[in-house]
Amino acid sequence: MPRNCAGVQIGETRREFPFRAFVNDFIPTYGHWHAEYEFVMAVRGRMEVSVGGRSYLLPEGGIMMACPGDIHGIVASNHSRYVVQFLPELIEGPFLDTREAAALHHMVDSLPRTSLSWPEETRGKIARLITELTEGENAGLSHRLFVQSRIFELMNLLVSEIPEEADQHTKASLYQNKSALDRLAVVLDYVKLHYNESIPIEKAAALLDITPNHFIKFWRRYMDISFHAYLNEYRISRAMHLFFNTTGPIYEIAYTVGFENAKTFSRVFRQVTGMTPGAYRALLAEYE
């Protein structure tokens, strides 16, 4: 099975054709959001995900859906997953006017975010589409037509076969507060660039020009995790990426991602992943 090494933070799609599909093994993604719809399916092993402030353990074949603006992430575990991303504009156009497109997105917003609440037959149909989109040939006009046809079929299945979750749209609206997401993006972008440095709460609060106490409450409301825990988990995710792509010694990787010593790194790594750095490296070696 091919691997994607695109990094921990899932990137945006290309604007010339706003679609992306790939396979990821092991690598976690912590607390991020983007403008694309995203569908993630566990194809080997169980997968722990978080979306919209809730955590779920999905069985093999389970699917997570993240709508544009949803804060979501995937915990590291021994699993492989298919990932499909596309911008809403890929399903908009001459046959959907602005009002109809808004209605469609509103309906999808109101749906449960994982297949745990979907009819099993519908989950199977969507799983087939995700597999076809991920394994399809990525070239030329025929591929683009193929992708759009499957995505229209996917959206139709969502709105016609999955029951709406009563309180989901209210929660989705909170997570899609543009002002809040823009402010979160400032801190998330800073962490991506400076995760290997010391980033105390005071520094993070100063980025938004608010007090540390205000920052703690603001961050918790949207991220559902403390800033310190998020920073450590992001550092661990970067370490896992290095384990995946390099053969450097554990102590060197620990320093590279911002830990003062290998002992603290090993303790936090085990808290986050459930295994030691050495055990994780050995697990990766099994799939070489």
Side-chain angles (χ1 to χ4, degrees):
M1 180 177 294
R3 290 175 173 175
N4 176 278
C5 302
V8 210
Q9 177 70 39
I10 297 176
E12 293 185 349
T13 52
R14 296 174 300 166
R15 292 285 163 171
E16 57 267 28
F17 187 62
F19 167 80
R20 197 168 173 234
F22 53 91
V23 179
N24 247 339
D25 293 345
F26 309 112
I27 300 175
T29 61
Y30 289 106
H32 68 287
W33 62 274
H34 39 66
E36 288 90 350
Y37 283 102
E38 182 173 327
F39 293 82
V40 184
M41 180 174 73
V43 292
R44 181 179 58 77
R46 297 190 300 171
M47 178 174 68
E48 184 178 350
V49 303
S50 64
V51 58
R54 296 180 181 178
S55 295
Y56 306 87
L57 182 61
L58 301 181
E60 191 167 299
I63 301 167
M64 178 194 78
M65 173 181 73
C67 291
D70 279 348
I71 297 173
H72 59 286
I74 302 170
V75 177
S77 64
N78 185 13
H79 74 271
S80 293
R81 59 188 184 264
Y82 285 171
V83 181
V84 169
Q85 299 173 318
F86 58 91
L87 281 173
E89 64 194 53
L90 198 62
I91 52 173
E92 299 168 1
F95 301 109
L96 283 181
D97 62 29
T98 302
R99 177 183 57 81
E100 291 169 329
L104 173 60
H105 299 313
H106 178 92
M107 286 188 284
V108 177
D109 264 349
S110 302
L111 301 178
R113 296 301 198 251
T114 74
S115 59
L116 296 174
S117 303
W118 301 354
E120 178 56 27
E121 184 178 352
T122 304
R123 185 210 62 78
K125 294 176 185 176
I126 293 175
R128 172 183 59 80
L129 292 173
I130 291 172
T131 301
E132 290 179 356
L133 286 166
T134 305
E135 296 180 345
E137 293 295 327
N138 186 10
L141 175 61
S142 62
H143 174 68
R144 294 187 179 195
L145 293 172
F146 169 82
V147 166
Q148 286 189 286
S149 69
R150 295 305 187 270
I151 288 177
F152 272 107
E153 186 178 351
L154 170 60
M155 298 300 279
N156 180 57
L157 286 171
L158 291 173
V159 299
S160 64
E161 297 193 10
I162 297 177
E164 181 177 312
E165 191 171 66
D167 62 345
Q168 181 60 57
H169 187 68
T170 300
K171 291 178 179 177
S173 296
L174 170 66
Y175 283 95
Q176 292 177 36
N177 180 308
K178 187 177 186 305
S179 174
L181 291 177
D182 286 346
R183 300 180 80 195
L184 278 173
V186 171
V187 183
L188 293 172
D189 287 345
Y190 187 87
V191 169
K192 286 171 65 178
L193 293 173
H194 302 278
Y195 64 87
N196 57 345
E197 304 171 10
S198 174
I199 312 178
I201 288 290
E202 292 76 12
K203 174 63 180 178
L207 293 171
L208 303 183
D209 196 26
I210 58 179
T211 66
N213 284 340
H214 186 186
F215 176 83
I216 290 170
K217 293 176 182 177
F218 171 77
W219 182 269
R220 268 284 188 185
R221 179 184 182 190
Y222 289 98
M223 297 299 288
D224 197 34
I225 187 176
S226 73
F227 179 72
H228 177 72
Y230 174 82
L231 179 58
N232 271 344
E233 290 186 353
Y234 190 85
R235 287 168 171 163
I236 294 300
S237 69
R238 293 308 303 166
M240 296 177 79
H241 184 64
L242 290 173
F243 280 135
F244 193 83
N245 290 285
T246 72
T247 57
I250 291 174
Y251 73 86
E252 186 176 290
I253 288 175
Y255 295 140
T256 299
V257 300
F259 286 92
E260 294 183 356
N261 56 69
K263 183 177 180 180
T264 301
F265 170 69
S266 294
R267 175 176 55 80
V268 176
F269 192 98
R270 186 162 193 163
Q271 287 175 348
V272 171
T273 68
M275 64 182 75
T276 65
Y280 181 73
R281 173 164 271 171
L283 181 65
L284 289 178
E286 293 179 13
Y287 293 91
E288 289 296 332

